[in-house]
Amino acid sequence: MSEPDSYAENMMTVATPEQHSGTRSEAGVRVFKNYSFLASSYAASRLLTFFSLVYIARRLGVQTFGQVNFALAIFTYSTLLTHLGLMTFGTREVARHPGQIQHRVTRILSLRLALTLASFLLLLVFVYLVTFETQLKILIVLFGLSLFPTAALMDWAFKGVERMNVVGVIEIVRAAPYVALILVWVKTPSQVLRIPIFYFLSAVLAAFLGLALFWRDYGSLRPQIELTFWKRAMRESLPLGFAFVLLQVYYLTDTVVLGFLRGDVFVGLYSAAYKSVAFLLVLGGLFFETTFPVISRYYKQASGRLPWLLTSSLRVTTLLVVPMAVGGTVLAGPFLSSLYGPEYRAATVAFQFLIWAVAVELIGMNWGYALMACDRAKEYLKVVGLGAAISVALNLVLIPKLGLMGAGLARLTCSAIISFYFWYQFRRVSRLSWFRYLLKPALASALMVSVMVLVGHSWVLQMALGTLVYACTILLIGPSERTQVLRIANAIFAPAEPMASSLANSTSETFRASEELLPTETVER
C-alpha cells in the first residue's frame, strides 16, 4: 500500500471538526481513546505493509521491485481525482449531521464512485498513450482496479461518528490479508502480476466490511445522483483536495521522475531506501496527530500554555530524530544489504540523503501541524504548494545528472525549505526558539557514532550500543530533557485536565519557561 497516500490523507483529516457532548472531561477521554486506537491500528497496518515491501524486494529483485513501486506511484496519482477533499468533507458532514448519516453518506459515496469511474478511464488512456513495457502497463491497469474498492472504503464515515475502533479494524483488514497472500503466493519475479490482484482483493474485503457494518448500524446505501449536492460538495472540498494534491506531488515526484528518466532499476533501488524512511515518517506523523487536538484546544482555551507544549514537543522531536539521522548515515549500507539483499546496497547514498530529509521533516511537523491546529490553514497550504513546485523543479534538474543522489538531494533540499517556511509562518503565532535544542542531541550523537565506528561489527550490535550510549549521554548532559518527555506524556495522556486555573492565569498571553531562561514568547489568537 502507498505510504505517502495514507500519510497525506491522515494529514488532511486530522483537522476535521468533532462533535463533543457531555462534560469536557468525557470529551477529552474520548479524544484520547479515539486517537490512541487509531494510532496503534495505523502503526500496525504500516508495519505489515512495510514487511510486505521488504519481502517483495528480496523475492523479485531490483528491476521488478522498481516496476511495482512505479505502478503504485501512478496508481496513487490516479486517486487524486477520487479524493479532492471529499473524505474530509464527508467526515465533517457526518459529524455535523449524525441524524442524517445514511442520506449524506449515500450522496458522498455516489459522487466518489462517479469520480472513480472517470479516473479509471483516464488511467486507461494514459496507459494506452505511454510507451512502457507490456508488463508495466498491465501492472498499472491491475492496480487501477483498486480505485473502485478504495473509493468504497467507509473509514471517513465512521470517523465522523467517532467510531475509531471500526476505522482501525478496516485499516488492519486492508493490510493483513494482502501481506498473507503475498507471503504465500508470490515467490518469483514471474508472479509479479499477482501483487496488484492481491492488493485489489484486500481492498475489496476492507470495503465490504465497512459497508456491511454501516448497513447493519445505519441502513442500506443506494447510489443516487444529486447534482446540487455534488456541486456544493465539490465547492467546499476543493480547497482541502488541492492541498492533498500538492502533498501527493511532493511525496511522489521523485519516484515518478526516476521511472520516466532512469528506468525500473533506479526506481527499485530508490524505493527500497525511501520505503524504509517513509515508515519512520508515518510513525512520526502519528505522534503529531495525537498531539494535534491538544494543541488545538490549548490555542482556543489556554493559549498561555501553548508555547511550553510546542517547546516540549520540539525538544522531544530533536532528541529522537538527530541520532536517527546520524546513525542512519553510518549504518545505511549494511542496513539496506541485510534488509533487502546485497544488490540494494547501491541505494546507500539515496538512503543517507532521505534519512536526513525525514529528520528535517519531522522537526518541521511541529510547526506544520501547529499551523493547522491554530487556524492557519492558508499558511499551511502556501508552504505545501511551495514544496510541491520546488520538488518538481529540482527532481527534473537533478535526476538526469545525478540519478539516485539527485533524487535524494532534491528531497532533502525541499524538506529543509518547507520546514524553515513552516517555522517562519508560525512566528506570527508564537516565536519559538529551536536551534539551541539541536546542541545536546548533536553532542550525544557524535559520541554515539564514535562508539559505533569503534565496534565495527554487525550493524545490529552497532545500533544497540549506539542507542545505549546516546541515551546515557543525554541523561548526563541534559537531565531537563526528561521533563520535556513528561510534559508531552501528561498533555496527551491527560487531555481532559481542568483548565480553569490555566485560563485564569492566561489573561496575559505571555509565557516564560521554568527550567531555562527562554525569551518571552507571545501567542496571538
Side-chain angles (χ1 to χ4, degrees):
M1 298 182 185
S2 173
E3 298 290 350
D5 179 27
S6 299
Y7 174 64
E9 290 187 11
N10 294 341
M11 288 186 71
M12 296 312 301
T13 58
V14 292
T16 303
E18 298 181 5
Q19 301 299 305
H20 298 284
S21 60
T23 66
R24 181 181 293 123
S25 177
E26 293 171 343
V29 171
R30 185 171 65 253
V31 168
F32 168 67
K33 288 182 178 179
N34 284 339
Y35 274 91
S36 61
F37 193 95
L38 192 62
S40 60
S41 60
Y42 270 106
S45 172
R46 297 304 174 271
L47 185 61
L48 289 172
T49 302
F50 178 69
F51 178 74
S52 69
L53 287 168
V54 172
Y55 177 83
I56 292 171
R58 296 185 69 93
R59 285 287 184 174
L60 304 189
V62 177
Q63 182 173 4
T64 307
F65 183 61
Q67 287 186 339
V68 171
N69 281 278
F70 184 75
L72 268 173
I74 298 299
F75 163 74
T76 304
Y77 268 125
S78 66
T79 63
L80 298 181
L81 182 60
T82 68
H83 191 282
L84 292 179
L86 287 173
M87 294 174 67
T88 304
F89 172 80
T91 300
R92 189 187 70 187
E93 286 292 295
V94 170
R96 291 179 177 177
H97 309 281
Q100 304 175 16
I101 182 172
Q102 181 184 18
H103 182 54
R104 293 181 182 275
V105 169
T106 296
R107 293 188 294 179
I108 295 171
L109 184 61
S110 300
L111 175 56
R112 289 201 71 195
L113 291 175
L115 292 173
T116 298
L117 179 59
S119 181
F120 183 71
L121 293 176
L122 289 175
L123 181 65
L124 293 179
V125 172
F126 168 80
V127 171
Y128 176 78
L129 293 177
V130 296
T131 56
F132 291 152
E133 295 180 12
T134 301
Q135 179 171 280
L136 182 55
K137 287 190 174 186
I138 295 174
L139 277 172
I140 294 174
V141 173
L142 290 177
F143 272 117
L145 292 175
S146 296
L147 284 169
F148 295 98
T150 299
L153 290 173
M154 300 298 294
D155 51 349
W156 56 271
F158 286 106
K159 284 180 183 179
V161 289
E162 299 186 33
R163 295 181 61 181
M164 300 301 179
N165 58 330
V166 177
V167 177
V169 171
I170 291 174
E171 187 67 21
I172 295 296
V173 169
R174 189 182 180 188
Y178 172 72
V179 175
L181 290 169
I182 291 294
L183 293 177
V184 175
W185 296 102
V186 177
K187 303 293 184 181
T188 65
S190 62
Q191 299 170 332
V192 65
L193 295 181
R194 296 180 181 181
I195 295 175
I197 295 175
F198 295 157
Y199 189 96
F200 170 79
L201 293 176
S202 300
V204 168
L205 183 60
F208 178 79
L209 174 64
L211 289 169
L213 291 175
F214 188 91
W215 192 311
R216 182 196 67 182
D217 297 336
Y218 304 107
S220 61
L221 297 170
R222 293 186 177 87
Q224 53 185 260
I225 300 175
E226 294 189 24
L227 295 180
T228 302
F229 175 82
W230 285 10
K231 291 179 180 178
R232 182 177 76 85
M234 294 294 290
R235 183 175 63 252
E236 296 185 20
S237 65
L238 275 179
L240 296 172
F242 184 57
F244 176 74
V245 169
L246 293 175
L247 282 170
Q248 294 295 76
V249 171
Y250 173 71
Y251 282 118
L252 297 174
T253 296
D254 44 11
T255 300
V256 173
V257 174
L258 271 173
F260 276 107
L261 299 183
R262 286 303 186 104
D264 300 331
V265 173
F266 279 81
V267 174
L269 293 171
Y270 187 78
S271 296
Y274 178 74
K275 297 298 182 181
S276 302
V277 299
F279 179 69
L280 298 173
L281 188 63
V282 171
L283 292 181
L286 292 175
F287 166 75
F288 290 106
E289 285 185 21
T290 306
T291 61
F292 178 88
V294 185
I295 296 173
S296 181
R297 186 177 64 255
Y298 278 8
Y299 177 67
K300 289 296 185 182
Q301 300 179 5
S303 58
R305 304 183 65 185
L306 179 60
W308 70 254
L309 174 60
L310 294 176
T311 299
S312 298
S313 175
L314 181 61
R315 294 179 71 172
V316 171
T317 305
T318 56
L319 280 173
L320 295 175
V321 302
V322 173
M324 176 193 76
V326 174
T329 302
V330 175
L331 301 178
F335 170 77
L336 290 173
S337 297
S338 300
L339 192 63
Y340 294 100
E343 56 188 336
Y344 289 91
R345 197 181 184 99
T348 297
V349 175
F351 183 92
Q352 290 170 334
F353 275 108
L354 289 170
I355 194 70
W356 279 101
V358 167
V360 173
E361 287 178 20
L362 288 173
I363 292 176
M365 282 184 187
N366 284 280
W367 302 299
Y369 272 83
L371 281 174
M372 291 189 291
C374 298
D375 300 332
R376 298 297 195 278
K378 290 183 179 179
E379 287 80 358
Y380 176 83
L381 184 58
K382 290 179 182 178
V383 178
V384 174
L386 176 66
I390 294 176
S391 177
V392 172
L394 286 180
N395 278 287
L396 289 174
V397 171
L398 296 178
I399 286 178
K401 298 179 180 179
L402 302 176
L404 293 176
M405 182 185 295
L409 180 59
R411 180 60 179 268
L412 177 57
T413 303
C414 289
S415 301
I417 294 174
I418 288 177
S419 296
F420 179 81
Y421 199 16
F422 273 142
W423 167 77
Y424 179 78
Q425 291 287 352
F426 192 72
R427 290 174 76 245
R428 300 178 181 179
V429 181
S430 178
R431 294 178 177 270
L432 298 176
S433 302
W434 62 274
F435 187 76
R436 73 175 75 188
Y437 304 134
L438 297 175
L439 180 59
K440 291 179 182 178
L443 292 174
S445 296
L447 182 57
M448 175 191 75
V449 168
S450 301
V451 173
M452 292 168 65
V453 172
L454 289 175
V455 172
H457 295 289
S458 71
W459 69 269
V460 177
L461 179 60
Q462 287 178 299
M463 183 175 67
L465 290 178
T467 302
L468 179 61
V469 169
Y470 178 81
C472 293
T473 305
I474 284 295
L475 291 178
L476 288 174
I477 68 176
S480 63
E481 309 303 333
R482 288 175 296 186
T483 304
Q484 311 308 319
V485 176
L486 292 175
R487 279 181 169 182
I488 292 294
N490 181 67
I492 294 174
F493 287 91
E497 60 180 309
M499 289 192 175
S501 59
S502 301
L503 291 171
N505 296 328
S506 299
T507 53
S508 174
E509 298 182 350
T510 302
F511 166 79
R512 185 176 298 275
S514 57
E515 287 97 343
E516 298 182 32
L517 295 177
L518 299 179
T520 301
E521 299 164 332
T522 303
V523 178
E524 302 172 359
R525 283 195 287 176

